[in-house]
């Protein structure tokens, strides 16, 4: 009867699969929230439905994959990838996000994206990856976790932005603004700027990411869906297994994995090899393999005692053409930005529980003189030790 109930919910709910299969919202919505073919408000000014709302879209991405478990329709299985491709095409940003402030807002990097959408998008990817086993979903998950998620929070996480922008040079109260229908405080860093939903929602981002780094796999094995320092305690091959991951990824390309089995057992280990890497290598017990990008590399053997693996994921530099001739520089899962001097001005409350404007103290209006075919010739990467907060300006390695 639960399956019958699920079918009823699916029938009565919004058809996210159909929404992306015949997508109507290829333009920025107007200030009232209306988009071509949509009527999101009723005559009283209240929301009637949510096909262009950014957070609902972030949640809806996983719906075809969830329903595929029951329908077994191949088009449902492909639904998450289709949704991501459609949102990228019409509303995508360099950080892996799509715009929505509150409604879908086009590809301009001056438009904002609500922080609730970041964490809901991550959760949709985590759920869809668990169902589908698609390594590309892990690639996108890491892009959001290592770029969009920390960008929306102050380094100490006392404050956050309701909307972040890919091209953000000042954060201030703005009566004249580009947002579809967010208020003048939406760009501030604060406890609950604009509206309190992100205050109640932002904290799911890191814990759920940590909880989905490793997953169970068919055949009694384990799968690495994303990479970060972590410790896993699970059962694999019918025995207790401990997996420890030591790495500075995404700032370094080496991922060191230690597998300890309570007693000898045979089971597969699946390691996600990102689609962006070139020349990946895996070393184990004196042997070396060359895993293929965009796959889960299957390693099946008898595990006994402690086994050490070293996975290397070289990170090529790429320059992506973006909106109106702009470019984005990426290396592995990271998207780079010019460091801008910051002056944090409290405008409400008492620190650290204050609302802040953030103003630039250094020039920001630069262009890059780059050979887009050979970007490495015009870029130099320097390394230093990761700080206590590696995604802060002071702690970034």
């Amino acid at each position: 009867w639960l399956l019958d109930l699920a079918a009823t919910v699916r029938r009565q709910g919004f058809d996210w699969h159909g929404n992306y299969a015949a997508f109507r919202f290829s333009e920025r919505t107007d200030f009232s929230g209306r988009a071509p073919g949509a009527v999101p408000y009723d005559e009283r000014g209240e929301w009637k439905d949510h096909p262009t709302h950014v957070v609902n879209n972030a949640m809806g991405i996983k719906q075809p994959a969830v329903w595929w478990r029951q329908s077994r329709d191949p088009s449902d299985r492909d639904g998450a990838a289709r949704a991501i491709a459609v949102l990228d095409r019409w509303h995508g940003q360099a950080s892996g996000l799509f715009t929505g402030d509150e409604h879908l807002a086009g590809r301009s990097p001056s438009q904002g994206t609500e922080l609730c959408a970041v964490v809901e998008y991550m959760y949709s990817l985590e759920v869809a990856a668990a169902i589908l086993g698609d390594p590309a979903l892990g690639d996108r998950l890491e892009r959001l976790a290592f770029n969009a998620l920390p960008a929306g929070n102050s380094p100490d996480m006392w404050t956050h932005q309701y909307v972040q922008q890919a091209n953000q040079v000042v954060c201030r109260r703005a009566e004249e603004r580009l947002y579809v229908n967010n208020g003048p405080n939406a760009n501030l860093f604060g406890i609950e700027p604009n509206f309190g939903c992100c205050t109640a929602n932002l904290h799911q981002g890191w814990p759920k990411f940590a909880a989905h780094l490793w997953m169970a796999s068919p055949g009694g094995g384990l799968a690495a869906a994303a990479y970060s320092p972590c410790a896993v305690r699970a059962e694999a091959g019918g025995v207790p297994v401990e997996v420890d991951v030591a790495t500075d990824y995404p700032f370094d390309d080496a991922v060191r994995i230690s597998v300890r089995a309570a007693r000898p057992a045979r089971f597969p280990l699946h390691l996600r090899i990102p689609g962006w890497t070139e020349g990946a290598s895996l070393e184990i017990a004196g042997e070396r393999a060359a895993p293929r990008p965009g796959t889960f590399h299957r390693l099946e053997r008898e595990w006994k005692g402690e086994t050490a693996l070293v996975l290397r994921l070289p990170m090529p530099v790429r320059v992506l053409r973006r909106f109106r001739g702009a470019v984005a520089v990426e290396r592995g899962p990271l998207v780079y930005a010019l460091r801008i001097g910051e002056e944090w001005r409290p405008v409400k409350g008492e620190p650290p529980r204050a609302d802040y404007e953030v103003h630039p103290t250094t020039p920001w209006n630069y262009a890059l003189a780059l050979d887009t075919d050979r970007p490495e010739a015009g870029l130099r990467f320097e390394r230093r030790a990761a700080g206590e907060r590696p995604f802060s300006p002071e702690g970034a390695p």
Side-chain angles (χ1 to χ4, degrees), residues 1-12 67 70:
W1 69 268
L2 286 173
L3 298 181
D4 293 337
L5 176 61
T8 300
V9 172
R10 166 72 174 81
R11 187 171 59 253
Q12 294 180 354
W67 179 240
Q70 186 159 332

Side-chain angles (χ1 to χ4, degrees), residues 53-325:
H53 181 226
V54 61
V55 184
N56 288 72
N57 276 269
M59 293 173 172
I61 287 170
K62 64 180 174 291
Q63 189 260 0
V66 172
W67 179 240
W68 172 77
R69 299 183 68 191
Q70 186 159 332
S71 74
R72 292 298 165 177
D73 184 334
S75 67
D76 287 322
R77 179 179 175 85
D78 298 338
R82 180 186 298 110
I84 293 168
V86 166
L87 290 167
D88 280 351
R89 178 180 180 184
W90 300 112
H91 306 285
Q93 297 293 289
S95 60
L97 275 178
F98 53 93
T99 58
D101 52 23
E102 296 277 328
H103 296 275
L104 299 175
R107 296 181 68 239
S108 169
S110 295
Q111 297 295 155
T113 303
E114 187 181 337
L115 182 56
C116 283
V118 179
V119 294
E120 294 292 358
Y121 195 175
M122 288 176 60
Y123 184 54
S124 284
L125 293 166
E126 289 155 1
V127 170
I131 294 169
L132 303 174
D134 181 355
L137 297 173
D139 291 4
R140 180 59 62 101
L141 174 62
E142 289 184 348
R143 196 174 184 93
L144 294 175
F146 299 145
N147 298 283
L149 180 58
N153 296 281
S154 60
D156 61 6
M157 292 194 74
W158 265 106
T159 64
H160 68 277
Q161 289 182 293
Y162 193 78
V163 294
Q164 62 174 273
Q165 297 154 296
N167 250 14
Q168 184 168 272
V169 298
V170 64
C171 310
R172 60 180 174 84
R173 285 177 172 157
E175 295 296 340
E176 295 181 6
R177 55 197 180 277
L178 294 172
Y179 311 136
V180 172
N181 63 345
N182 274 335
N185 293 330
N187 211 205
L188 299 180
F189 279 87
I191 295 295
E192 50 176 353
N194 194 74
F195 192 67
C197 59
C198 296
T199 310
N201 202 20
L202 68 89
H203 60 275
Q204 69 168 295
W206 287 123
K208 288 183 178 177
F209 179 68
H212 288 89
L213 292 172
W214 285 75
M215 302 181 183
S217 74
L222 295 171
Y227 295 107
S228 271
C230 65
V232 182
R233 304 295 179 262
E235 185 174 291
V239 305
V241 173
E242 298 180 356
V243 179
D244 290 310
V245 179
T247 183
D248 281 337
Y249 185 92
F251 308 106
D252 186 72
D253 65 5
V255 182
R256 293 173 172 82
I257 303 171
S258 173
V259 181
R260 292 185 297 278
R263 56 184 182 275
R266 188 172 189 86
F267 59 86
L269 205 66
H270 304 266
L271 302 176
R272 189 187 115 259
I273 311 301
W276 45 255
T277 192
E278 296 175 2
S281 65
L282 176 64
E283 299 177 21
I284 176 172
E287 299 179 1
R288 187 182 177 97
R292 188 161 52 92
T295 67
F296 274 98
H297 181 76
R298 181 185 176 98
L299 184 64
E300 184 157 7
R301 56 181 285 146
E302 184 180 58
W303 305 87
K304 50 187 177 181
E306 182 170 348
T307 306
L309 300 78
V310 179
L311 176 65
R312 292 194 176 274
L313 303 170
M315 300 177 177
V317 181
R318 293 191 173 96
V319 173
L320 302 181
R321 286 285 177 186
R322 298 293 307 172
F323 185 74
R324 292 183 179 171

